DNA sequence: CAGTCCGTTCGACCGTCGTGAACTTTATTA
DNA sequence: TAATAAAGTTCACGACGGTCGAACGGACTG
């Protein structure tokens, strides 16, 4: 085993969580398989699984262990805890209905964008698989919109922490270039992403803030390359997103 | 502290999970508050929180700790892991569109019904707060439909384990009464719940099974008291649910 | 029926988690 | 602005409990 990861972390808990992460990756697994992957004795793994089972974090189907409903309940609580997030759900769907583009709401958490809601019609099932995933802010539309709302010092902090990893050839990797783009975004009120994160994918994003100015997260619409190249149409769509975010912020302030 | 809960469970992991559960209950809390509630020193709790934070199971907002995106990701995986569950989503929404009643899909897990999807239009936000919750089978429409698909021995096991807690005055508490109802359900293909679980709430439920006969879970529609008293209308609605489940099972068998 | 492969149980040792106190930081009051 | 309090964080030590390896038992195979 040997856990030298971080200082002052409880090994037992880390191991338990790593088992959960492995079960996510493998879509369920048997004791032996887990033990081999984690390079630990079966008995140890078994102990963890028994423990996780009492809390329904895992369940047993025959001999394979899978993630269980306890996780689902807690995880879902992340989305329903905050009035902001609950409210964002219907706005995400409204955005999809109005534009026809896949719509997303992300929350800003510790310098990352976390998928909270997506709406894209029933056909596109895969979109829901990303809930809870964390994306960088520097190479996504909502991310840049969020950064544009933050004081420069905070942005620097975030960049220091996560860097500016280059996902595609269009990813911005120079800080000054990013900062000048953030200024422009700040003026026009929305951000555009042209294949900076995923090849052939464009997006328009707008940040959502509280009255106090605190950033909550952001909304975006996503489409294939060139969906937003016609600058007239782009402005129209950006207008729709911006107006929707305004409505969202308004309704939130009344709650 | 003192954990005498179950035999052979890892205390450290249990404590970590209990902190998570407490954070769910309190919608986030500060170190001291958690320490008091759990009757443990601040430093202990702090250690757990630090550990959970490295895995993003909790995040810090100022000085209060909340459930984090790591949980959301893992929890959501429970719903997207299985083709059955992913597919069930669109059928749940279709059911709502066709009937106008709040629609639910639950999975059967270890003798309980676990909320996986609900559809009820955007207005009713509260419905989504129950995802991951576990309900008994004996006093819910989908639950009874599920039990009706199982061999009697398995039903007995489940009843032995969880009993037949009386939620309302209409809850069935006698095994033989339940078994004769299960027989009827088995014949007619759907189950009805008249305030057996929640006062003033009626429901119609149908179980979904694999080709092999294994129970996957069940669909239901729910409405206020007397929504389904007109026996003609009830049969019509039950037909819709049953047909939808058939389609679902068919599509699943093709995948 | 023997052989293999898993999952589970058991006991002992060693490492690590829990503890309380010390330290730091932030908030409060005068 | 200094003093006090309250909360968050760090630290070192000792006891407890988690890890490990081996042994057991059950299921499947040839």
């Amino acid at each position: 085993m040997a856990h030298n990861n971080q200082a002052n972390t409880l090994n037992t808990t880390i191991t338990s969580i790593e088992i959960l992460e492995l079960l996510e990756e493998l879509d369920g697994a048997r004791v032996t398989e887990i033990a081999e992957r984690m390079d630990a004795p079966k008995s140890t793994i078994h102990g963890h699984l028994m423990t996780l089972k009492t809390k329904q974090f895992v369940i047993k189907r025959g001999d394979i262990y899978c993630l269980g409903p306890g996780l689902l309940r807690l995880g879902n609580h992340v989305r329903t805890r905050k009035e902001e997030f609950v409210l964002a759900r219907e706005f995400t769907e409204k955005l999809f209905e109005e534009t026809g583009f896949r719509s997303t709401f992300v929350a800003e958490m510790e310098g990352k964008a976390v998928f909270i809601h997506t709406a894209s019609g029933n056909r596109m099932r895969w979109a829901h698989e990303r809930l809870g995933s964390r994306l960088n802010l520097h190479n996504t539309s909502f991310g840049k919109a969020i950064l544009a709302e933050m004081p420069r010092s905070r942005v620097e902090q975030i960049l220091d922490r996560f860097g500016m990893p280059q996902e595609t050839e269009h990813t911005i990797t120079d800080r000054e270039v990013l900062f000048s783009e953030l200024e422009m975004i700040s003026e026009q009120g929305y951000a555009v992403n042209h294949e900076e994160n995923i090849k052939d994918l464009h997006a328009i994003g707008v940040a959502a803030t509280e009255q106090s100015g605190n950033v909550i997260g952001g909304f975006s619409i996503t489409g294939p390359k060139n969906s937003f190249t016609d600058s007239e149409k782009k402005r129209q769509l950006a207008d729709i997103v911006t107006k929707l975010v305004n409505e969202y912020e308004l309704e939130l302030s009344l709650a």
Side-chain angles (χ1 to χ4, degrees), chain A:
Chain A
M1 297 270 295
H3 275 292
N4 306 352
N5 298 352
Q6 309 269 344
N8 276 23
T9 53
L10 311 187
N11 253 299
T12 310
T13 296
I14 292 286
T15 303
S16 283
I17 293 179
E18 281 174 355
I19 289 175
L20 294 175
E21 289 173 338
L22 192 61
L23 287 179
E24 178 196 17
E25 188 187 326
L26 302 177
D27 280 5
R30 2 188 73 232
V31 178
T32 308
E33 192 175 3
I34 301 171
E36 280 169 6
R37 289 252 193 173
M38 311 232 331
D39 194 30
K42 287 184 297 181
S43 52
T44 301
I45 303 300
H46 186 254
H48 282 271
L49 289 170
M50 292 291 287
T51 308
L52 293 168
K53 199 159 95 85
T54 66
K55 292 294 187 179
Q56 297 272 313
F57 273 36
V58 304
I59 60 169
K60 242 181 114 166
R61 305 209 143 200
D63 264 346
I64 67 173
Y65 290 86
C66 317
L67 299 182
L71 276 174
L72 176 54
R73 207 190 66 222
L74 287 179
N76 189 61
H77 182 77
V78 175
R79 299 199 297 166
T80 56
R81 173 192 61 211
K82 303 192 135 277
E83 176 62 22
E84 299 98 274
F85 298 172
V86 176
L87 188 62
R89 182 175 195 269
E90 56 193 78
F91 280 86
T92 308
E93 278 168 14
K94 201 168 155 193
L95 187 57
F96 169 66
E97 283 161 26
E98 287 183 19
T99 64
F101 287 103
R102 182 153 68 86
S103 302
T104 306
F105 172 77
V106 299
E108 189 274 325
M109 289 182 172
E110 321 244 293
K112 290 264 191 176
V114 179
F115 273 81
I116 303 290
H117 300 294
T118 70
S120 53
N122 289 336
R123 327 248 144 254
M124 307 176 69
R125 295 171 199 166
W126 57 272
H128 293 275
E129 298 181 10
R130 308 196 62 183
L131 295 186
S133 301
R134 288 147 57 222
L135 273 65
N136 284 313
L137 298 181
H138 76 286
N139 63 355
T140 52
S141 63
F142 36 66
K144 290 192 291 183
I146 288 168
L147 290 176
E149 294 284 341
M150 291 177 170
R152 176 157 179 146
S153 60
R154 178 89 195 280
V155 178
E156 301 265 21
Q157 263 180 33
I158 293 173
L159 295 180
D160 286 344
R161 186 160 164 204
F162 300 110
M164 299 175 64
Q166 179 157 19
E167 300 292 344
T168 74
E169 52 175 330
H170 297 95
T171 307
I172 300 174
T173 53
D174 181 87
R175 283 204 188 193
E176 284 318 312
V177 174
L178 180 62
F179 274 111
S180 65
E181 172 144 354
L182 292 185
E183 239 172 81
M184 193 199 68
I185 290 166
S186 189
E187 276 170 33
Q188 72 184 8
Y190 64 91
V192 178
N193 170 357
H194 286 150
E195 305 189 58
E196 294 161 34
N197 180 30
I198 296 174
K199 194 159 158 16
D200 297 330
L201 226 56
H202 288 198
I204 300 177
V206 175
T209 61
E210 304 179 293
Q211 313 92 301
S212 66
N214 267 348
V215 177
I216 298 168
F219 291 84
S220 79
I221 54 177
T222 315
K225 194 163 146 181
N226 300 329
S227 304
F228 314 127
T229 38
D230 178 310
S231 81
E232 190 46 47
K233 198 180 174 197
K234 175 167 76 179
R235 198 180 297 176
Q236 279 178 3
L237 284 166
D239 261 10
I240 294 178
V241 183
T242 309
K243 281 211 182 86
L244 180 119
V245 173
N246 286 340
E247 283 173 43
Y248 168 76
E249 290 173 341
L250 178 65
E251 189 157 335
L252 201 60
S253 70
L254 300 176

